[in-house]
Amino acid sequence: MLLRTTFSRSLLRIMPTKRNIAQVAIVRPASDTTASSPKKRVRRAREEIATTISGNNGQEEVKYVRRSTRTRVSTTTSSTVEIPNVKLENDEELEEDEEDGEPTIVRKASKRRRGKKAADDDSFGEHEDEAESPKKTKRARKKKTPEPVVYDISPVERLETSFKGRLGYACLNTILRSLKPDSVFCSRTCRISTIQEKGMDYVKELGLQNIRDLSKMIEWNEANNIRFMRISSEVFPFASHGKYGYTLEYADKDLKATGDLAKRYQHRLTLHPGQFTQIGSPKDEVVTASVRELNYHCEMLDRMGLDQDSVMIIHMGGVYGDKASTLERFKKNYTELLSESVKKRLVLENDELCYNLDDIMPVCKELDIPIVVDYHHDWIYPSQRPVSELIPIINETWIKKGIRIKQHLSEPRPGATTPMEKRAHADRCSRLPDCLPDDVDLMIEAKDKEQAVFELYRIYGLKDVIWENLRPPKKHQTLATAGRKSAKGAKKKKDVEEELLAEEGIACDPEDIPETMESKVETDED
């Protein structure tokens, strides 16, 4: 602690410098221990000052005796003053009394306040009237340009095939979805609470963003030799809802533009309404909700101006305790409740637990409904005859209605043994089916989406691939799944759908949304 003094005839002024006041500790002589107050102790110290005057060519200096032996020089006085040691407590300091101008002992400022004072100028007396120097502004760090990621793409085993059809993927493009900060995908949605908070305009704007991103996905597919894709059912959130549903007229311009783009590139776009679409349900309210769902999907395709090849795929649904009765209800509701526009696009798919090809073929033949053969489902729940024998019979309906044949391909994960494990889709497919017709559109239902298509392109030499768009597969695929096909995921999905139906005032029986059916509401999880 430095103390700078100015000795005049009537006043000893003691002023603190910028050094930390907490370091001050002036030792009082033993004779002064009887001082009864801080002010008296300072006065007694003043009385005991010994003054020595000395000169040096007209320049005088003042020397101080402190705990340290350092010296500070001043030219403001003509005296050399020795200040006797005065003991201060831990939280005291010397300060000039405002009333009589004499030094006194006062409590020290807090550490926080002292920290602020530490930023003052070097010389307190010489610079106390100067303004504080402006704070230096921090430089903005330059953003580092991320280095391109180099992927290790392993070679594939080459196989031969006579297949000349198209391969496609469902709903999500993994490369476009991972773009930051502007991801490209067409399944933005929200909760009912968000609708109540932000209104329908917010929901409709999500739909416009989705349909515009669908155009970007079509452009990307064209550049990468993929001309077959399933559109997400969530393009227009809640459009088929009983309370919050809406027409797509407001998006007519964007829908038409997207459809024109697909037609110009000769891309095929299809839809797959969710598993809660139950035409054969014994509950009238569930059937009504299912009809609304089909009308919404049909309106989307119609406003895009797409032809009959843009089909809507559904499953037969739950058994509800009596398979024969359910099939009869399906036929009745299909005939009486569905519009002609919906009937022209509706096709059925065999599932893996409730209805195999043998179960749906008679109904489809009677109603002229094409069947989408799912090879994976037929492997889990096969028909009596081999699928290779059934495909020519099934294809007759497609040809009769003038619709290009469509089939589904997926594989179980490696090591799957239980029925639940077998249902879960693998990341990619290792080969094409042996009985695959030469000229059909094959939807690859795999977790790696477009990468699964590229894998088959490379294995069979079907199309050229852009090497920069290839991504390596995961090294290990686990059998456990946290998605909708796990027991926990299926229960959660069913609870959500029951909640949606409850919002519409529909009392939903658990049988109306069977856990056994595979959900086809394609989201990022799929």
Side-chain angles (χ1 to χ4, degrees), residues 65-78:
V65 179
R66 300 178 306 280
R67 289 183 63 185
S68 67
T69 59
R70 297 173 63 183
T71 306
R72 190 176 185 90
V73 178
S74 171
T75 59
T76 59
T77 69
S78 59

Side-chain angles (χ1 to χ4, degrees), residues 306-500:
L306 302 178
D307 61 17
Q308 71 278 1
D309 286 347
S310 293
V311 296
M312 305 183 301
I313 305 100
I314 64 171
H315 294 276
M316 182 62 70
V319 174
Y320 308 110
D322 188 346
K323 183 179 290 188
S325 298
T326 301
L327 291 171
E328 289 301 319
R329 282 194 303 271
F330 178 89
K331 290 191 291 184
K332 181 177 183 296
N333 293 333
Y334 175 90
T335 304
E336 297 177 0
L337 300 179
L338 300 186
S339 67
E340 290 301 318
S341 297
V342 170
K343 291 178 183 178
K344 289 179 180 178
R345 297 188 184 276
L346 193 65
V347 299
L348 278 175
E349 176 188 354
N350 60 306
D351 66 72
E352 68 273 42
L353 291 174
C354 294
Y355 296 90
N356 63 8
L357 290 172
D358 289 337
D359 294 325
I360 63 175
M361 284 181 67
V363 176
C364 291
K365 182 177 180 180
E366 180 180 345
L367 300 177
D368 280 338
I369 301 176
I371 296 176
V372 173
V373 174
D374 189 302
Y375 292 96
H376 184 194
H377 293 170
D378 185 73
W379 173 73
I380 298 173
Y381 185 17
S383 53
Q384 292 182 353
R385 289 183 289 175
V387 66
S388 57
E389 295 182 13
L390 299 178
I391 286 177
I393 302 173
I394 291 171
N395 290 348
E396 291 177 1
T397 308
W398 290 94
I399 297 171
K400 180 180 179 180
K401 298 193 73 171
I403 306 175
R404 184 175 174 82
I405 301 168
K406 179 182 187 291
Q407 296 181 348
H408 292 173
L409 176 66
S410 57
E411 291 181 2
R413 297 177 183 179
T417 56
T418 67
M420 189 60 67
E421 291 174 348
K422 291 178 180 179
R423 296 179 65 212
H425 292 168
D427 292 344
R428 305 186 184 190
C429 295
S430 59
R431 61 185 301 130
L432 296 175
D434 294 333
C435 57
L436 179 67
D438 289 347
D439 192 17
V440 299
D441 289 337
L442 186 64
M443 178 62 64
I444 307 301
E445 296 183 319
K447 298 297 181 181
D448 279 351
K449 304 298 181 179
E450 80 291 338
Q451 296 300 318
V453 174
F454 291 156
E455 187 90 350
L456 291 172
Y457 278 1
R458 296 175 62 209
I459 291 174
Y460 290 97
L462 298 174
K463 299 286 184 182
D464 293 331
V465 297
I466 299 176
W467 198 261
E468 291 76 10
N469 288 337
L470 296 181
R471 300 292 182 268
K474 293 179 182 178
K475 293 183 179 179
H476 303 288
Q477 296 185 57
T478 61
L479 292 176
T481 174
R484 51 182 172 76
K485 291 189 179 180
S486 66
K488 187 182 297 184
K491 184 177 185 301
K492 180 180 178 182
K493 184 68 180 178
K494 186 175 71 173
D495 291 342
V496 171
E497 288 156 357
E498 289 179 9
E499 180 183 351
L500 291 176

Side-chain angles (χ1 to χ4, degrees), residues 26 38 70-71 86 117 125 145 167 182 186 230 236 242 286-287 289 298 305 323 336 352-353 403 423 486-487 502 509:
I26 304 178
R70 297 173 63 183
T71 306
V86 179
K117 288 186 177 181
T145 303
L167 302 182
D182 300 318
C186 56
R230 178 188 300 163
F236 294 95
V286 175
V287 174
C298 187
K323 183 179 290 188
E336 297 177 0
E352 68 273 42
L353 291 174
I403 306 175
R423 296 179 65 212
S486 66
D509 193 304

Side-chain angles (χ1 to χ4, degrees), residues 188-190 201-211 235 237:
R188 297 171 183 84
T189 186
C190 64
D201 288 342
Y202 173 80
V203 182
K204 291 183 176 181
E205 180 59 30
L206 291 179
L208 292 178
Q209 294 179 45
N210 287 335
I211 196 64
V235 174

Side-chain angles (χ1 to χ4, degrees), residues 28-35 44 48:
R28 169 187 294 280
S31 61
D32 293 334
T33 57
T34 58
R44 181 168 296 181
E48 295 178 1

Side-chain angles (χ1 to χ4, degrees), residues 4-9 11-13 15 51-56 58-64 72-82:
R4 177 167 53 248
T5 67
T6 303
F7 185 79
S8 64
R9 294 180 180 179
L11 177 65
L12 170 66
R13 187 183 304 270
M15 303 175 64
T51 306
T52 303
I53 308 295
S54 63
N56 183 14
Q59 298 293 329
E60 293 80 23
E61 62 180 5
V62 180
K63 297 182 179 179
Y64 312 104
R72 190 176 185 90
V73 178
S74 171
T75 59
T76 59
T77 69
S78 59
S79 303
T80 299
V81 182
E82 285 188 356

